[in-house]
Amino acid sequence: MPDPELSTTPTPTTPPAPISPPADTPGRPYHHGQLRTALLEAAERTLRTQGASELSLRELARELGVSHAAPRRHFPDRQSLLDALAITGFHRLTIQLNAALATAPPDDFPARLKATVAAYVTFATQDAALLDLMFTTKHRPGATEVAAAAVPAFTQLQDLMLQGQSTAHLPAGNLEPSALVLFATMQGIATLINGAWVDPTLLETLTTTAVTQFLRGAAPHPA
Amino acid sequence: MPDPELSTTPTPTTPPAPISPPADTPGRPYHHGQLRTALLEAAERTLRTQGASELSLRELARELGVSHAAPRRHFPDRQSLLDALAITGFHRLTIQLNAALATAPPDDFPARLKATVAAYVTFATQDAALLDLMFTTKHRPGATEVAAAAVPAFTQLQDLMLQGQSTAHLPAGNLEPSALVLFATMQGIATLINGAWVDPTLLETLTTTAVTQFLRGAAPHPA
DNA sequence: CAACAATGTAGCCACCGACAACAAAGTCGT
DNA sequence: ACGACTTTGTTGTCGGTGGCTACATTGTTG
């Protein structure tokens, strides 16, 4: 407390004003009410603009005009906030993959594959830091919730592969390796673009090439 | 200045013993002599065991029995240490790719490709955090030295592709997209394993599948 | 209306990276 | 050999951060 009395001449005439903190949002009624949501939104913004390493709980608290310890009520530590971000990230990814599938004819496997890959890479490049978080957070021991949130997105890809088998675009049998290789390729393309190893304008070309080569490379052997 | 005159009391009776610091390595002669190298080695160890985010300059200094500001003489800030690590990482990668190529017959393109991919993925999984550093550091504006260090490794892959064209395993023309897709696949496989999305025992299967599918998918069109 | 839970605040601690001022050792010209 | 200069290491400090505890305010519920 640098100025215990000089501040505002104690303002004995302001009982209606909840003295509270000198937050930039002066009218806030002590309890923020939506702190958790607000934190996640602000964090996602910072994540996109500054990256995960720059994300500071105290800075978030300042942005929201709340004390530095307030976030702790909703996220016991920094990592759990990051986990929450990863989880919502997986939800968003699942939704976007679904939406992409809906734009392709239901029985056109190559088109559906292309749409899925494009949607994934688009998501991955628009939210690079988030994707990184989603992937690196997962392997942390004890991140069961994050892992669970990832399941639907994977199921979606798996179902698509099953469709490919049913339409004979893909061979019968265990295609787990093939599917994983395709997934790895998507992930890798995103990494290349996010790391500025290739020009972003190549995104379209790369996804097309990847899908085309995958369809040719994984197709059932004619011989 | 806590003690302007008590400091030295010229210590006329201890010329042989270099008072120096009470470091845990008592015999160290004030100047470490190999601090830069030692820092890099220790940092690489911590990087492998703890990850980049856990790497602390002060902790490194403590490990080496040196004051907390000593590292600054060799690395102006934390990032420049990370850059140095990334650079040596690229050197190591280049060497290992070279070694892998040497184990395959000079004119067996598929074998050489397989060996290269395997070597890359092996490197990437043994030094996950380092690989991440090498990739994420690169896009940082102004990291010209890191980018330069990456060139030889890429040249090596490029040369291999040219060989593939000369042996007709790959079609003539611009194969940059194909090569990038393969590179993305390697990178992605590493990511999948490092993030524990797939079991490490699948590494061999995945690289084989990736190479096989690539050779079939990128092969010159017969029609 | 009185416990109680939920939510926010204030203050502290240890750690970190960056910086500046100082000290010791090596180097090099004379 | 000796003194100036450079290199390398040390100490001290500052602001920032995450995590913790104690406390204050508000909402809820019996």
Side-chain angles (χ1 to χ4, degrees), chain A residues 28 30-32 35 67-69 73-74:
Chain A
R28 184 170 62 76
Y30 189 90
H31 276 128
H32 182 289
L35 224 203
S67 86
H68 70 265
R73 293 294 168 201
H74 302 274

mmCIF file of all heavy atoms in Angstrom, chain A residues 28 30-32 35 67-69 73-74, chain C residues 5-14:
data_model
loop_
_atom_site.group_PDB
_atom_site.id
_atom_site.type_symbol
_atom_site.label_atom_id
_atom_site.label_comp_id
_atom_site.label_asym_id
_atom_site.label_seq_id
_atom_site.Cartn_x
_atom_site.Cartn_y
_atom_site.Cartn_z
ATOM 1 N N ARG A 28 -17.556 -3.991 -11.539
ATOM 2 C CA ARG A 28 -17.639 -5.433 -11.318
ATOM 3 C C ARG A 28 -17.991 -5.729 -9.856
ATOM 4 O O ARG A 28 -17.423 -5.179 -8.944
ATOM 5 C CB ARG A 28 -16.326 -6.108 -11.664
ATOM 6 C CG ARG A 28 -16.397 -7.618 -11.544
ATOM 7 C CD ARG A 28 -15.173 -8.271 -12.129
ATOM 8 N NE ARG A 28 -13.952 -7.892 -11.464
ATOM 9 C CZ ARG A 28 -13.594 -8.367 -10.291
ATOM 10 N NH1 ARG A 28 -14.365 -9.195 -9.640
ATOM 11 N NH2 ARG A 28 -12.464 -7.997 -9.755
ATOM 12 N N TYR A 30 -17.454 -7.664 -7.373
ATOM 13 C CA TYR A 30 -16.589 -8.525 -6.555
ATOM 14 C C TYR A 30 -16.488 -9.932 -7.136
ATOM 15 O O TYR A 30 -15.402 -10.404 -7.441
ATOM 16 C CB TYR A 30 -17.057 -8.605 -5.112
ATOM 17 C CG TYR A 30 -16.075 -9.309 -4.198
ATOM 18 C CD1 TYR A 30 -15.091 -8.587 -3.546
ATOM 19 C CD2 TYR A 30 -16.113 -10.675 -4.014
ATOM 20 C CE1 TYR A 30 -14.183 -9.230 -2.728
ATOM 21 C CE2 TYR A 30 -15.212 -11.321 -3.207
ATOM 22 C CZ TYR A 30 -14.253 -10.601 -2.554
ATOM 23 O OH TYR A 30 -13.341 -11.245 -1.761
ATOM 24 N N HIS A 31 -17.600 -10.574 -7.281
ATOM 25 C CA HIS A 31 -17.529 -11.865 -7.966
ATOM 26 C C HIS A 31 -17.680 -11.658 -9.464
ATOM 27 O O HIS A 31 -18.652 -11.068 -9.929
ATOM 28 C CB HIS A 31 -18.639 -12.805 -7.459
ATOM 29 C CG HIS A 31 -18.266 -13.519 -6.205
ATOM 30 N ND1 HIS A 31 -19.064 -13.532 -5.086
ATOM 31 C CD2 HIS A 31 -17.178 -14.220 -5.873
ATOM 32 C CE1 HIS A 31 -18.477 -14.227 -4.128
ATOM 33 N NE2 HIS A 31 -17.332 -14.650 -4.581
ATOM 34 N N HIS A 32 -16.699 -12.112 -10.160
ATOM 35 C CA HIS A 32 -16.695 -11.907 -11.601
ATOM 36 C C HIS A 32 -17.872 -12.631 -12.237
ATOM 37 O O HIS A 32 -18.549 -12.102 -13.105
ATOM 38 C CB HIS A 32 -15.370 -12.403 -12.171
ATOM 39 C CG HIS A 32 -15.211 -12.207 -13.639
ATOM 40 N ND1 HIS A 32 -15.912 -12.930 -14.573
ATOM 41 C CD2 HIS A 32 -14.444 -11.353 -14.355
ATOM 42 C CE1 HIS A 32 -15.569 -12.534 -15.787
ATOM 43 N NE2 HIS A 32 -14.680 -11.580 -15.681
ATOM 44 N N LEU A 35 -15.601 -16.051 -14.502
ATOM 45 C CA LEU A 35 -14.141 -15.983 -14.563
ATOM 46 C C LEU A 35 -13.556 -17.148 -15.358
ATOM 47 O O LEU A 35 -12.696 -16.961 -16.202
ATOM 48 C CB LEU A 35 -13.545 -15.979 -13.158
ATOM 49 C CG LEU A 35 -12.421 -14.972 -12.889
ATOM 50 C CD1 LEU A 35 -11.588 -15.427 -11.731
ATOM 51 C CD2 LEU A 35 -11.578 -14.747 -14.108
ATOM 52 N N SER A 67 -7.679 -10.221 -9.280
ATOM 53 C CA SER A 67 -6.429 -10.361 -8.533
ATOM 54 C C SER A 67 -5.609 -11.536 -9.047
ATOM 55 O O SER A 67 -6.132 -12.437 -9.700
ATOM 56 C CB SER A 67 -6.715 -10.558 -7.056
ATOM 57 O OG SER A 67 -6.946 -11.923 -6.777
ATOM 58 N N HIS A 68 -4.323 -11.503 -8.747
ATOM 59 C CA HIS A 68 -3.425 -12.487 -9.346
ATOM 60 C C HIS A 68 -3.698 -13.916 -8.891
ATOM 61 O O HIS A 68 -3.263 -14.874 -9.528
ATOM 62 C CB HIS A 68 -1.974 -12.124 -9.050
ATOM 63 C CG HIS A 68 -1.583 -12.294 -7.613
ATOM 64 N ND1 HIS A 68 -1.619 -11.249 -6.707
ATOM 65 C CD2 HIS A 68 -1.178 -13.364 -6.914
ATOM 66 C CE1 HIS A 68 -1.244 -11.677 -5.522
ATOM 67 N NE2 HIS A 68 -0.982 -12.962 -5.610
ATOM 68 N N ALA A 69 -4.388 -14.057 -7.777
ATOM 69 C CA ALA A 69 -4.645 -15.405 -7.260
ATOM 70 C C ALA A 69 -6.013 -15.931 -7.652
ATOM 71 O O ALA A 69 -6.330 -17.087 -7.399
ATOM 72 C CB ALA A 69 -4.499 -15.416 -5.745
ATOM 73 N N ARG A 73 -8.672 -20.327 -8.296
ATOM 74 C CA ARG A 73 -9.956 -20.920 -7.885
ATOM 75 C C ARG A 73 -10.523 -21.802 -8.973
ATOM 76 O O ARG A 73 -11.335 -22.677 -8.716
ATOM 77 C CB ARG A 73 -10.953 -19.809 -7.561
ATOM 78 C CG ARG A 73 -10.606 -18.993 -6.343
ATOM 79 C CD ARG A 73 -10.691 -19.840 -5.097
ATOM 80 N NE ARG A 73 -10.086 -19.155 -3.953
ATOM 81 C CZ ARG A 73 -9.674 -19.802 -2.880
ATOM 82 N NH1 ARG A 73 -9.782 -21.114 -2.806
ATOM 83 N NH2 ARG A 73 -9.139 -19.129 -1.877
ATOM 84 N N HIS A 74 -10.110 -21.562 -10.211
ATOM 85 C CA HIS A 74 -10.694 -22.312 -11.329
ATOM 86 C C HIS A 74 -9.697 -23.275 -11.954
ATOM 87 O O HIS A 74 -10.095 -24.289 -12.521
ATOM 88 C CB HIS A 74 -11.210 -21.338 -12.387
ATOM 89 C CG HIS A 74 -12.233 -20.375 -11.858
ATOM 90 N ND1 HIS A 74 -13.565 -20.676 -11.798
ATOM 91 C CD2 HIS A 74 -12.111 -19.145 -11.326
ATOM 92 C CE1 HIS A 74 -14.229 -19.657 -11.275
ATOM 93 N NE2 HIS A 74 -13.366 -18.706 -10.977
ATOM 94 P P DA C 5 -19.002 -26.532 3.983
ATOM 95 O OP1 DA C 5 -18.970 -28.006 3.927
ATOM 96 O OP2 DA C 5 -17.923 -25.781 4.661
ATOM 97 O "O5'" DA C 5 -19.153 -25.999 2.502
ATOM 98 C "C5'" DA C 5 -20.366 -26.231 1.799
ATOM 99 C "C4'" DA C 5 -20.362 -25.441 0.509
ATOM 100 O "O4'" DA C 5 -20.544 -24.036 0.803
ATOM 101 C "C3'" DA C 5 -19.072 -25.551 -0.301
ATOM 102 O "O3'" DA C 5 -19.411 -25.668 -1.670
ATOM 103 C "C2'" DA C 5 -18.341 -24.251 0.007
ATOM 104 C "C1'" DA C 5 -19.495 -23.278 0.241
ATOM 105 N N9 DA C 5 -19.189 -22.209 1.188
ATOM 106 C C8 DA C 5 -18.610 -22.340 2.426
ATOM 107 N N7 DA C 5 -18.457 -21.207 3.064
ATOM 108 C C5 DA C 5 -18.980 -20.261 2.191
ATOM 109 C C6 DA C 5 -19.128 -18.862 2.279
ATOM 110 N N6 DA C 5 -18.734 -18.155 3.338
ATOM 111 N N1 DA C 5 -19.682 -18.231 1.230
ATOM 112 C C2 DA C 5 -20.073 -18.949 0.161
ATOM 113 N N3 DA C 5 -19.990 -20.267 -0.033
ATOM 114 C C4 DA C 5 -19.432 -20.866 1.029
ATOM 115 P P DA C 6 -18.300 -25.855 -2.740
ATOM 116 O OP1 DA C 6 -18.813 -26.782 -3.769
ATOM 117 O OP2 DA C 6 -17.023 -26.116 -2.060
ATOM 118 O "O5'" DA C 6 -18.245 -24.403 -3.384
ATOM 119 C "C5'" DA C 6 -19.444 -23.838 -3.863
ATOM 120 C "C4'" DA C 6 -19.194 -22.435 -4.371
ATOM 121 O "O4'" DA C 6 -18.932 -21.551 -3.248
ATOM 122 C "C3'" DA C 6 -17.982 -22.279 -5.310
ATOM 123 O "O3'" DA C 6 -18.397 -21.514 -6.429
ATOM 124 C "C2'" DA C 6 -16.950 -21.553 -4.455
ATOM 125 C "C1'" DA C 6 -17.825 -20.729 -3.532
ATOM 126 N N9 DA C 6 -17.231 -20.392 -2.247
ATOM 127 C C8 DA C 6 -16.616 -21.241 -1.361
ATOM 128 N N7 DA C 6 -16.205 -20.660 -0.255
ATOM 129 C C5 DA C 6 -16.573 -19.332 -0.425
ATOM 130 C C6 DA C 6 -16.420 -18.194 0.386
ATOM 131 N N6 DA C 6 -15.831 -18.218 1.591
ATOM 132 N N1 DA C 6 -16.919 -17.022 -0.076
ATOM 133 C C2 DA C 6 -17.513 -17.002 -1.276
ATOM 134 N N3 DA C 6 -17.713 -18.008 -2.141
ATOM 135 C C4 DA C 6 -17.216 -19.153 -1.641
ATOM 136 P P DT C 7 -17.430 -21.317 -7.664
ATOM 137 O OP1 DT C 7 -18.268 -21.114 -8.857
ATOM 138 O OP2 DT C 7 -16.398 -22.364 -7.636
ATOM 139 O "O5'" DT C 7 -16.752 -19.924 -7.352
ATOM 140 C "C5'" DT C 7 -17.564 -18.751 -7.388
ATOM 141 C "C4'" DT C 7 -16.787 -17.594 -6.840
ATOM 142 O "O4'" DT C 7 -16.405 -17.849 -5.471
ATOM 143 C "C3'" DT C 7 -15.472 -17.295 -7.586
ATOM 144 O "O3'" DT C 7 -15.580 -16.009 -8.135
ATOM 145 C "C2'" DT C 7 -14.407 -17.357 -6.497
ATOM 146 C "C1'" DT C 7 -15.221 -17.146 -5.236
ATOM 147 N N1 DT C 7 -14.635 -17.648 -3.973
ATOM 148 C C2 DT C 7 -14.429 -16.765 -2.952
ATOM 149 O O2 DT C 7 -14.696 -15.587 -3.026
ATOM 150 N N3 DT C 7 -13.885 -17.312 -1.813
ATOM 151 C C4 DT C 7 -13.542 -18.630 -1.609
ATOM 152 O O4 DT C 7 -13.060 -19.014 -0.549
ATOM 153 C C5 DT C 7 -13.783 -19.505 -2.721
ATOM 154 C C7 DT C 7 -13.443 -20.967 -2.608
ATOM 155 C C6 DT C 7 -14.304 -18.982 -3.835
ATOM 156 P P DG C 8 -14.468 -15.494 -9.174
ATOM 157 O OP1 DG C 8 -15.166 -14.769 -10.241
ATOM 158 O OP2 DG C 8 -13.571 -16.621 -9.473
ATOM 159 O "O5'" DG C 8 -13.654 -14.432 -8.303
ATOM 160 C "C5'" DG C 8 -14.331 -13.282 -7.806
ATOM 161 C "C4'" DG C 8 -13.510 -12.605 -6.727
ATOM 162 O "O4'" DG C 8 -13.343 -13.498 -5.602
ATOM 163 C "C3'" DG C 8 -12.086 -12.199 -7.148
ATOM 164 O "O3'" DG C 8 -11.908 -10.809 -6.918
ATOM 165 C "C2'" DG C 8 -11.179 -13.045 -6.269
ATOM 166 C "C1'" DG C 8 -12.070 -13.290 -5.055
ATOM 167 N N9 DG C 8 -11.668 -14.472 -4.300
ATOM 168 C C8 DG C 8 -11.699 -15.781 -4.719
ATOM 169 N N7 DG C 8 -11.279 -16.624 -3.815
ATOM 170 C C5 DG C 8 -10.952 -15.819 -2.726
ATOM 171 C C6 DG C 8 -10.453 -16.170 -1.452
ATOM 172 O O6 DG C 8 -10.180 -17.294 -1.020
ATOM 173 N N1 DG C 8 -10.268 -15.045 -0.646
ATOM 174 C C2 DG C 8 -10.546 -13.750 -1.031
ATOM 175 N N2 DG C 8 -10.305 -12.796 -0.136
ATOM 176 N N3 DG C 8 -11.019 -13.413 -2.217
ATOM 177 C C4 DG C 8 -11.195 -14.493 -3.010
ATOM 178 P P DT C 9 -10.493 -10.133 -7.095
ATOM 179 O OP1 DT C 9 -10.741 -8.730 -7.475
ATOM 180 O OP2 DT C 9 -9.667 -10.991 -7.939
ATOM 181 O "O5'" DT C 9 -9.906 -10.137 -5.621
ATOM 182 C "C5'" DT C 9 -10.628 -9.499 -4.576
ATOM 183 C "C4'" DT C 9 -9.702 -9.213 -3.406
ATOM 184 O "O4'" DT C 9 -9.444 -10.457 -2.698
ATOM 185 C "C3'" DT C 9 -8.327 -8.654 -3.794
ATOM 186 O "O3'" DT C 9 -8.012 -7.596 -2.919
ATOM 187 C "C2'" DT C 9 -7.394 -9.848 -3.646
ATOM 188 C "C1'" DT C 9 -8.053 -10.624 -2.506
ATOM 189 N N1 DT C 9 -7.801 -12.074 -2.522
ATOM 190 C C2 DT C 9 -7.264 -12.660 -1.417
ATOM 191 O O2 DT C 9 -6.975 -12.049 -0.418
ATOM 192 N N3 DT C 9 -7.066 -14.012 -1.524
ATOM 193 C C4 DT C 9 -7.356 -14.815 -2.607
ATOM 194 O O4 DT C 9 -7.138 -16.024 -2.592
ATOM 195 C C5 DT C 9 -7.917 -14.131 -3.748
ATOM 196 C C7 DT C 9 -8.267 -14.900 -4.981
ATOM 197 C C6 DT C 9 -8.113 -12.805 -3.652
ATOM 198 P P DA C 10 -6.724 -6.696 -3.119
ATOM 199 O OP1 DA C 10 -7.107 -5.310 -2.797
ATOM 200 O OP2 DA C 10 -6.148 -7.028 -4.430
ATOM 201 O "O5'" DA C 10 -5.721 -7.220 -1.981
ATOM 202 C "C5'" DA C 10 -6.211 -7.496 -0.679
ATOM 203 C "C4'" DA C 10 -5.063 -7.873 0.238
ATOM 204 O "O4'" DA C 10 -4.904 -9.319 0.223
ATOM 205 C "C3'" DA C 10 -3.700 -7.300 -0.145
ATOM 206 O "O3'" DA C 10 -3.024 -6.895 1.040
ATOM 207 C "C2'" DA C 10 -3.008 -8.442 -0.874
ATOM 208 C "C1'" DA C 10 -3.592 -9.660 -0.159
ATOM 209 N N9 DA C 10 -3.698 -10.837 -1.032
ATOM 210 C C8 DA C 10 -4.080 -10.883 -2.333
ATOM 211 N N7 DA C 10 -4.098 -12.085 -2.858
ATOM 212 C C5 DA C 10 -3.700 -12.895 -1.810
ATOM 213 C C6 DA C 10 -3.513 -14.295 -1.708
ATOM 214 N N6 DA C 10 -3.715 -15.130 -2.719
ATOM 215 N N1 DA C 10 -3.107 -14.788 -0.509
ATOM 216 C C2 DA C 10 -2.905 -13.941 0.508
ATOM 217 N N3 DA C 10 -3.053 -12.606 0.529
ATOM 218 C C4 DA C 10 -3.451 -12.146 -0.672
ATOM 219 P P DG C 11 -1.558 -6.283 0.965
ATOM 220 O OP1 DG C 11 -1.498 -5.292 2.064
ATOM 221 O OP2 DG C 11 -1.270 -5.873 -0.422
ATOM 222 O "O5'" DG C 11 -0.611 -7.513 1.355
ATOM 223 C "C5'" DG C 11 -0.955 -8.321 2.469
ATOM 224 C "C4'" DG C 11 -0.010 -9.501 2.574
ATOM 225 O "O4'" DG C 11 -0.424 -10.553 1.658
ATOM 226 C "C3'" DG C 11 1.448 -9.183 2.216
ATOM 227 O "O3'" DG C 11 2.285 -9.716 3.224
ATOM 228 C "C2'" DG C 11 1.646 -9.890 0.881
ATOM 229 C "C1'" DG C 11 0.723 -11.085 1.036
ATOM 230 N N9 DG C 11 0.343 -11.713 -0.217
ATOM 231 C C8 DG C 11 -0.060 -11.090 -1.371
ATOM 232 N N7 DG C 11 -0.333 -11.916 -2.346
ATOM 233 C C5 DG C 11 -0.097 -13.168 -1.802
ATOM 234 C C6 DG C 11 -0.217 -14.450 -2.374
ATOM 235 O O6 DG C 11 -0.565 -14.737 -3.519
ATOM 236 N N1 DG C 11 0.114 -15.452 -1.474
ATOM 237 C C2 DG C 11 0.522 -15.235 -0.183
ATOM 238 N N2 DG C 11 0.815 -16.303 0.538
ATOM 239 N N3 DG C 11 0.643 -14.029 0.368
ATOM 240 C C4 DG C 11 0.320 -13.053 -0.496
ATOM 241 P P DC C 12 3.809 -9.329 3.327
ATOM 242 O OP1 DC C 12 4.059 -8.998 4.744
ATOM 243 O OP2 DC C 12 4.123 -8.369 2.247
ATOM 244 O "O5'" DC C 12 4.545 -10.704 3.003
ATOM 245 C "C5'" DC C 12 4.287 -11.830 3.830
ATOM 246 C "C4'" DC C 12 4.617 -13.097 3.089
ATOM 247 O "O4'" DC C 12 3.797 -13.195 1.899
ATOM 248 C "C3'" DC C 12 6.062 -13.178 2.578
ATOM 249 O "O3'" DC C 12 6.807 -14.031 3.446
ATOM 250 C "C2'" DC C 12 5.946 -13.768 1.168
ATOM 251 C "C1'" DC C 12 4.467 -14.061 1.003
ATOM 252 N N1 DC C 12 3.967 -13.794 -0.372
ATOM 253 C C2 DC C 12 3.752 -14.864 -1.226
ATOM 254 O O2 DC C 12 3.996 -16.014 -0.832
ATOM 255 N N3 DC C 12 3.299 -14.624 -2.482
ATOM 256 C C4 DC C 12 3.051 -13.366 -2.872
ATOM 257 N N4 DC C 12 2.589 -13.176 -4.102
ATOM 258 C C5 DC C 12 3.270 -12.260 -1.996
ATOM 259 C C6 DC C 12 3.720 -12.514 -0.783
ATOM 260 P P DC C 13 8.381 -14.064 3.306
ATOM 261 O OP1 DC C 13 8.913 -14.422 4.632
ATOM 262 O OP2 DC C 13 8.825 -12.825 2.627
ATOM 263 O "O5'" DC C 13 8.615 -15.277 2.312
ATOM 264 C "C5'" DC C 13 7.943 -16.503 2.539
ATOM 265 C "C4'" DC C 13 8.285 -17.480 1.420
ATOM 266 O "O4'" DC C 13 7.422 -17.223 0.280
ATOM 267 C "C3'" DC C 13 9.729 -17.351 0.926
ATOM 268 O "O3'" DC C 13 10.376 -18.612 1.004
ATOM 269 C "C2'" DC C 13 9.602 -16.848 -0.500
ATOM 270 C "C1'" DC C 13 8.188 -17.250 -0.903
ATOM 271 N N1 DC C 13 7.574 -16.291 -1.861
ATOM 272 C C2 DC C 13 7.035 -16.762 -3.051
ATOM 273 O O2 DC C 13 7.075 -17.971 -3.290
ATOM 274 N N3 DC C 13 6.487 -15.877 -3.920
ATOM 275 C C4 DC C 13 6.470 -14.574 -3.624
ATOM 276 N N4 DC C 13 5.923 -13.743 -4.500
ATOM 277 C C5 DC C 13 7.009 -14.082 -2.410
ATOM 278 C C6 DC C 13 7.548 -14.958 -1.558
ATOM 279 P P DA C 14 11.934 -18.686 0.819
ATOM 280 O OP1 DA C 14 12.479 -19.633 1.805
ATOM 281 O OP2 DA C 14 12.478 -17.310 0.725
ATOM 282 O "O5'" DA C 14 12.029 -19.370 -0.618
ATOM 283 C "C5'" DA C 14 11.233 -20.506 -0.880
ATOM 284 C "C4'" DA C 14 11.314 -20.871 -2.347
ATOM 285 O "O4'" DA C 14 10.507 -19.954 -3.123
ATOM 286 C "C3'" DA C 14 12.737 -20.792 -2.924
ATOM 287 O "O3'" DA C 14 12.946 -21.875 -3.802
ATOM 288 C "C2'" DA C 14 12.732 -19.454 -3.646
ATOM 289 C "C1'" DA C 14 11.292 -19.359 -4.138
ATOM 290 N N9 DA C 14 10.829 -17.989 -4.327
ATOM 291 C C8 DA C 14 11.085 -16.911 -3.519
ATOM 292 N N7 DA C 14 10.533 -15.794 -3.936
ATOM 293 C C5 DA C 14 9.879 -16.160 -5.101
ATOM 294 C C6 DA C 14 9.105 -15.436 -6.022
ATOM 295 N N6 DA C 14 8.855 -14.130 -5.906
ATOM 296 N N1 DA C 14 8.593 -16.106 -7.067
ATOM 297 C C2 DA C 14 8.841 -17.415 -7.180
ATOM 298 N N3 DA C 14 9.559 -18.208 -6.374
ATOM 299 C C4 DA C 14 10.047 -17.512 -5.348
#
